[in-house]
Amino acid sequence: MKQLAVFCGSKDGVTPIFREAATELGTLLARQQLNLVYGGSRVGTMGAVADAVLAAGGQANGVLPHFLQEKEIAHPNLTTLHLVDSMHDRKAKMAELANGFIILPGGPGTMEEFFEVFTWAQLGLHEKPCGILNVDGYYDPLVALFQQMETKGFLIPEHAGMLLVESDPVRLMERLQSYVAPRVKTYMNTEQT
């Protein structure tokens, strides 16, 4: 693994713990010589993770749609800033560049980005690990929802096992580094119509 995509917010949240977690993760990425791929902004937890990577001597690569260049305030000190035409292009470029994915606490955009790459993994479009850094229990409801999906038959156990959830960034990085994707099978509905 050389490059890790981090999906996170353009806001800091209501408590400093979220920005602190972004800084801790960014520092850890640089120390492990993993390049950051992220949304390209200098604000919110996006800016915090990039600042930490750069401050620790790492490489931070942003991907930002042209229309968000001013709204999200493009980070001025990135190793590379890829400007793209749309949000779809942003996700595709981040997925192309990254060898794995992590989400930090964020809003609907963070969820949407993560669900797309996780769904792509389920479909066998990539074999990259998908991790959730569950800072201060932020993602407990999401983890419970995934458990319900499995219990109610909408997520098979093999796919549920693809979701890597940790509250400790070091432990999450260990799991990402040792991840082996399951074999993707075709599951057909055997009910007669």
Side-chain angles (χ1 to χ4, degrees):
M1 185 177 301
K2 295 281 188 186
Q3 301 205 121
L4 189 66
V6 177
F7 301 125
C8 51
S10 59
K11 296 178 179 55
D12 287 329
V14 297
T15 173
I17 195 168
F18 301 123
R19 189 171 183 85
E20 291 164 5
T23 298
E24 182 180 2
L25 179 62
T27 303
L28 180 63
L29 292 178
R31 287 184 180 156
Q32 293 189 359
Q33 298 182 333
L34 292 170
N35 298 336
L36 170 68
V37 176
Y38 85 115
S41 176
R42 70 174 173 97
V43 298
T45 54
M46 279 199 282
V49 72
D51 287 343
V53 166
L54 294 166
Q59 294 189 15
N61 305 293
V63 182
L64 190 66
H66 291 285
F67 80 94
L68 285 179
Q69 192 172 1
E70 290 183 21
K71 184 177 182 179
E72 285 191 356
I73 312 172
H75 198 297
N77 301 318
L78 297 178
T79 308
T80 306
L81 177 61
H82 301 273
L83 292 172
V84 295
D85 291 330
S86 69
M87 295 296 283
H88 294 292
D89 293 336
R90 179 194 228 178
K91 289 182 295 185
K93 186 66 173 178
M94 290 176 74
E96 173 193 328
L97 294 172
N99 305 115
F101 309 93
I102 288 181
I103 54 171
L104 285 166
T110 301
M111 297 293 92
E112 189 268 339
E113 290 167 328
F114 183 76
F115 271 103
E116 184 154 351
V117 295
F118 183 73
T119 300
W120 291 349
Q122 286 181 277
L123 295 172
L125 298 176
H126 70 75
E127 295 184 346
K128 302 171 185 181
C130 298
I132 294 176
L133 187 55
N134 191 16
V135 178
D136 196 34
Y138 184 83
Y139 283 119
D140 288 350
L142 180 62
V143 172
L145 179 59
F146 272 108
Q147 291 168 345
Q148 172 138 316
M149 288 176 191
E150 184 178 3
T151 300
K152 300 296 184 182
F154 290 97
L155 182 64
I156 63 171
E158 292 86 350
H159 291 166
M162 295 165 61
L163 189 64
L164 309 177
V165 182
E166 294 290 341
S167 58
D168 175 29
V170 173
R171 177 69 185 126
L172 182 57
M173 292 304 302
E174 289 169 355
R175 292 186 65 196
L176 289 168
Q177 294 280 10
S178 64
Y179 177 78
V180 177
R183 288 191 61 192
V184 175
K185 300 176 186 176
T186 303
Y187 295 90
M188 298 177 63
N189 186 345
T190 58
E191 294 179 4
Q192 300 273 335
T193 56

